[in-house]
Every structure is written in structure tokens, then in C-alpha cells.
Amino acid sequence: MTIDTINDKASKMVIFGWFCGLAYYNWFSSSPIHVPLWAHPVLVFAGMFVVSIVIGAGLALIAGGITRVITGRIDGSIHAYSWAAFIGMGLAFFAAQYGLLLFARF
């Protein structure tokens, strides 16, 4: 497995975490966060891109830095990138709550 395939899977996992977080905090929570109807497409489409870029790319950069410090090369090991994929999915899940809270003000 290469770093590119891991980052591809990590991006998909971050997007999955975002959608699960939106569904949980908006539909399945005991106290759901109510947002206007127009905010749902914005959160789904724009949020998907923003979360993938900010969380996914940010964690990939951090994983690259850690790998470089430990192995001396940015592509020296795939383990930090794999961990970043799982961490990114959790961060995206919890970031969905803050996205909903941001749009709940309108």
C-alpha cells in the first residue's frame, strides 16, 4: 500500500465522518440542532470540501512531518498516515456539530 492510496482512503473516511456527524447531530440526537432548510445543502456540499481539505490535508501534513522526523524521509513509513486517516474521521464527526451550530444562528 502506498501513501497515495492511504491518503485517498483517508479523504473518503473524513467525508464519511462528516456525513455521519451531520446525520447524528441533526437527526438522531436527543436534542438536535435545527438549521434553516437552505443550510443543509451548504453543509453537505461545501462542508464536504472544506472538511476534506482542512482536516484531511492538515493531518496528512502533520503525518508527513512526523514521518520525516522519525525516518528521515517523508515517505519513510505509512503508519502515521494510516493513523491520521482514523483520527481525521473522528475529528470530522465532531466538527459537524460546530458546523451545524454555526448555521443555527441564521
Side-chain angles (χ1 to χ4, degrees), residues 69-89:
V69 167
I70 293 173
T71 65
R73 293 182 12 204
I74 200 164
D75 59 346
S77 176
I78 62 169
H79 299 295
Y81 295 99
S82 300
W83 278 105
F86 287 108
I87 293 169
M89 186 170 57

